Amino acid sequence: MSLLHLPHHDGSPLYVSDEAPGLGETVTVRVRTSATDPVDAIWLRTTYDAEPVFHPTTSTTEGDVVWWEAALPVHNPVTHYRFLLVRGDEQQWLTGAGTVDHDVPDGNDFRLAAFPSAPDWGRDAVVYQVFPDRFARSAAADGREVPDWALAAEWDDEVCFEGNDPRTPMQLFGGDLDGITEHLDHVEQVGADVVYTTPVFPGESNHRYNATTFTEVDPLLGGDEAYARLSEAVHARGWRILGDLTTNHTGDTHEWFLSAVDGVDDPHRSFYYFEEDGTYACWMGHGTLPKINHANRDVRHAMVEGPDSVVGRWLRPPYDVDGWRIDVANMTGRLADIDVAHEVAQAVRATAAELRADPWVIGEHNHDATGDVDGDGWHGTMNYSGFSWPVWSWLRDPSSPARAFGRPVPVPRRDGPTVVETLRAWQGTLGWRATASSWNILGSHDSARIRTVVGGDAAVHRVAAGLQFTLPGVPMLFAGDEIGLEGVNGEDSRRTMPWHRPDDWDRTTLAAYADLATARRAHVALRRGGLRWAHVDDDSIAFVREHPDGSVLVVARRAAAPGFTLPLGPARHVFGSEPGGADLTTGPDGVEVPATDGPRVDIWALGSATAEG
């Protein structure tokens, strides 16, 4: 049986009538099966206050497709559900992670959240991440005095990144915010429409995650005025801008912390976790990053609650930030037996919603964000576990020196079926809406570059980019990915953009990113469509993104691979990462996807919105 004939449900419009219903409403949900699959009945199982309840479905047949439909009451703020398939004496569960022949816990159930979803502009976006110190220097940067903590570097100097080199956070290359503003044409060329910068607050490091204050922009970046200019320029293009805020900790030179250290009776003392002997909790053992105590209502009011908080201040004019990427969101509000993380996430989102009509709030989470993203907290996460690591493991060159942060050994190289099972497991765990609102990242300022992961192979890099733009989620690329910059770890990946060395750019890959962004905007299925796996083998992964307004077929190959047949109608070729590629015509068994002599990814627009088969 073709993978396309397997029972299927997801959270997209073909299967769920309303992805953001109100509490107490009823939503229509559908399951698709094949007429060749002898399913006798399907039951919808949901839970009322954690008690399992079953609802019947009705079926209709359209050609070789059987649609099963049921009414799902939205009884709880996050409603879990799954389907029980009956075939004679056999039973099978259909969950968010696929079908299973035995009873399983609720962790992979489909779910509906009775809260507003991420804004349309976020779901439809292409995000471009900038590490300000390494992106571009404006003329104004030349006259700025280098602070005592910094080590001035020339633009073409190598980044210090090996071991625990004390120079790593101190190297200052001098990129600034006006430099970003001056290169927005390049961001447009890439196809991005959301500019996300790592922190702009002063901090005694080039990364600025050890903020000394949250009330101003670092003068080394051009100060408040330069940030306002960047925001104005971004919005003038009809784009959006996202800030980066560390809610988990400050720097040890932050004004709050200095006050706390100076006096045991100072009100800022309770902003942190101090012991009687003067020691304090900090991030991962780094004493320069004291951890914030969000169990204290005063610090929560100062940082995340209300228009005058740090979160609120920068969402208002003249900065008009459209939302936040929250650094270390997974650890924020969590320490040993204390866990107010969800309350903090709720407060950030509520403050943003109070000040802007359609804010977007993404939480950094380096592993399992289950429970943090399916309600009224973060809209989504930086999806390392559900996207980055699976894609890396399929495409990684075994000899690559790339290091995966957070684990002591490299990401293993795995075959296509294993990678697809990984993607399905994480989609089932995070839920459809959270997956679709999270960031598909091939790398960031915290990780190796994708070009290094794939051993410098430009064609395989473009396959990775193809998956980034076509799987459910929002593509976020780290500035320089589009021209083939390399880096073995996060610090090494923070290399400067070689504006003055255009001959070093991989312009074929740059064009591929731009074409992928164009395809994503042209085909709603790539932004809002469902996901059905079509064909998987060691070196090939094919899937259909389907939507009532048009569907697409995506085929990715990591190496030379034979052709295969899919039970689909004719399809128009709309993107190929390498030369070649043609329309698909229908034969006796469907369409024949041609063989390839090397890595490539292709996209075809299908003739049927529901993707025949």
Side-chain angles (χ1 to χ4, degrees):
M1 180 186 293
S2 164
L3 293 180
L4 288 171
H5 287 154
L6 295 176
H8 183 76
H9 173 83
D10 59 43
S12 68
L14 275 174
Y15 299 91
V16 175
S17 63
D18 186 353
E19 71 162 25
L23 194 62
E25 295 182 358
T26 299
V27 174
T28 299
V29 294
R30 303 203 300 170
V31 173
R32 174 194 180 114
T33 64
S34 170
T36 62
D37 182 4
V39 176
D40 298 321
I42 295 181
W43 292 84
L44 166 68
R45 196 214 80 168
T46 184
T47 52
Y48 290 1
D49 309 323
E51 176 69 19
V53 178
F54 287 82
H55 298 272
T57 67
T58 58
S59 65
T60 58
T61 301
E62 300 176 5
D64 65 349
V65 177
V66 182
W67 290 101
W68 305 79
E69 186 173 295
L72 173 63
V74 182
H75 180 73
N76 297 109
V78 178
T79 296
H80 289 246
Y81 65 100
R82 64 171 75 171
F83 298 94
L84 179 63
L85 282 62
V86 180
R87 299 181 183 89
D89 294 333
E90 298 180 358
Q91 298 179 13
Q92 189 178 54
W93 291 111
L94 174 60
T95 74
T99 53
V100 290
D101 296 324
H102 56 278
D103 291 346
V104 293
D106 294 351
N108 285 326
D109 278 3
F110 302 106
R111 69 205 66 175
L112 280 176
F115 303 101
S117 55
D120 286 344
W121 65 265
R123 291 277 291 275
D124 295 338
V126 174
V127 181
Y128 192 81
Q129 181 193 17
V130 174
F131 190 86
D133 183 57
R134 311 293 163 83
F135 187 68
R137 287 174 60 103
S138 71
D142 295 336
R144 295 186 184 122
E145 184 176 350
V146 177
D148 292 340
W149 60 262
L151 299 173
E154 297 298 325
W155 202 249
D156 284 333
D157 285 353
E158 291 188 3
V159 174
C160 299
F161 69 93
E162 289 291 357
N164 294 314
D165 192 327
R167 298 173 297 171
T168 299
M170 307 306 177
Q171 268 189 307
L172 192 70
F173 286 80
D176 63 356
L177 296 173
D178 284 324
I180 302 172
T181 302
E182 292 169 1
H183 287 87
L184 291 180
D185 284 349
H186 174 78
V187 179
E188 182 172 18
Q189 183 182 3
V190 175
D193 56 4
V194 173
V195 175
Y196 150 54
T197 72
T198 54
V200 298
F201 306 115
E204 294 187 351
S205 68
N206 50 45
H207 55 72
R208 298 181 172 87
Y209 284 102
N210 56 339
T212 61
T213 183
F214 295 124
T215 61
E216 66 178 21
V217 173
D218 194 335
L220 291 171
L221 294 176
D224 294 0
E225 295 80 7
Y227 199 39
R229 286 192 293 271
L230 173 61
S231 177
E232 182 179 7
V234 166
H235 289 124
R237 294 171 179 260
W239 301 353
R240 305 286 183 141
I241 185 170
L242 293 177
D244 194 335
L245 177 63
T246 303
T247 51
N248 179 72
H249 54 262
T250 67
D252 64 345
T253 56
H254 193 282
E255 54 198 0
W256 296 345
F257 188 74
L258 294 178
S259 296
V261 169
D262 285 344
V264 294
D265 296 323
D266 188 281
H268 294 95
R269 188 87 169 183
S270 60
F271 281 25
Y272 301 90
Y273 296 96
F274 276 95
E275 300 291 344
E276 291 185 4
D277 62 0
T279 59
Y280 52 89
C282 52
W283 181 74
M284 301 299 289
H286 294 280
T288 58
L289 302 174
K291 186 174 176 67
I292 295 171
N293 176 19
H294 282 281
N296 178 273
R297 299 300 309 202
D298 289 335
V299 73
R300 220 186 285 183
H301 181 71
M303 176 159 276
V304 299
E305 294 179 342
D308 296 324
S309 65
V310 176
V311 166
R313 172 188 177 92
W314 299 94
L315 296 171
R316 296 185 279 125
Y319 315 107
D320 283 319
V321 172
D322 293 289
W324 291 102
R325 177 265 190 185
I326 301 298
D327 183 56
V328 200
N330 54 324
M331 298 181 75
T332 293
R334 290 182 170 127
L335 181 67
D337 60 340
I338 298 172
D339 189 347
V340 293
H342 193 66
E343 294 177 29
V344 177
Q346 287 175 310
V348 173
R349 186 159 157 186
T351 296
E354 178 184 352
L355 295 170
R356 301 197 72 82
D358 53 359
W360 197 20
V361 182
I362 295 292
E364 182 199 21
H365 211 297
N366 193 26
H367 186 55
D368 188 353
T370 303
D372 287 350
V373 293
D374 59 0
D376 53 353
W378 320 121
H379 287 117
T381 183
M382 299 181 75
N383 200 5
Y384 289 109
S385 294
F387 178 82
S388 310
W389 307 150
V391 171
W392 277 28
S393 68
W394 191 50
L395 300 178
R396 177 179 171 270
D397 184 328
S399 64
S400 171
R403 307 170 196 167
F405 74 91
R407 67 175 69 196
V409 293
V411 169
R413 182 173 169 89
R414 296 186 169 114
D415 59 26
T418 304
V419 168
V420 167
E421 284 304 306
T422 307
L423 292 168
R424 292 179 72 153
W426 281 101
Q427 180 182 306
T429 298
L430 294 175
W432 178 261
R433 195 173 83 174
T435 298
S437 303
S438 293
W439 288 356
N440 289 347
I441 50 180
L442 295 172
S444 72
H445 69 291
D446 282 329
S447 78
R449 292 272 188 179
I450 185 61
R451 180 61 69 93
T452 302
V453 172
V454 301
D457 191 319
V460 178
H461 177 177
R462 290 190 283 273
V463 173
L467 293 172
Q468 181 180 32
F469 278 76
T470 58
L471 282 169
V474 178
M476 187 223 81
L477 58 147
F478 183 28
D481 282 351
E482 72 276 14
I483 58 172
L485 288 192
E486 296 212 32
V488 302
N489 64 6
E491 286 76 14
D492 188 34
S493 75
R494 302 171 191 178
R495 301 181 188 184
T496 54
M497 283 287 286
W499 300 110
H500 59 299
R501 290 185 278 111
D503 291 344
D504 293 347
W505 294 20
D506 178 354
R507 294 195 177 272
T508 301
T509 297
L510 173 60
Y513 273 93
D515 290 345
L516 284 165
T518 297
R520 190 171 186 272
R521 290 196 175 90
H523 299 277
V524 67
L526 293 175
R527 294 176 279 116
R528 302 305 181 94
L531 171 68
R532 285 198 294 145
W533 301 106
H535 173 88
V536 182
D537 59 41
D538 285 359
D539 298 322
S540 302
I541 295 177
F543 51 91
V544 172
R545 300 292 310 276
E546 53 185 353
H547 190 275
D549 295 333
S551 300
V552 299
L553 167 67
V554 180
V555 179
R557 268 76 172 265
R558 68 178 181 181
F564 52 87
T565 301
L566 294 175
L568 297 171
R572 177 173 53 88
H573 191 255
V574 296
F575 173 82
S577 63
E578 307 303 317
D583 294 348
L584 302 179
T585 56
T586 305
D589 299 318
V591 296
E592 177 70 20
V593 176
T596 178
D597 58 3
R600 65 178 294 130
V601 61
D602 293 274
I603 304 173
W604 288 271
L606 294 167
S608 169
T610 55
E612 297 175 19

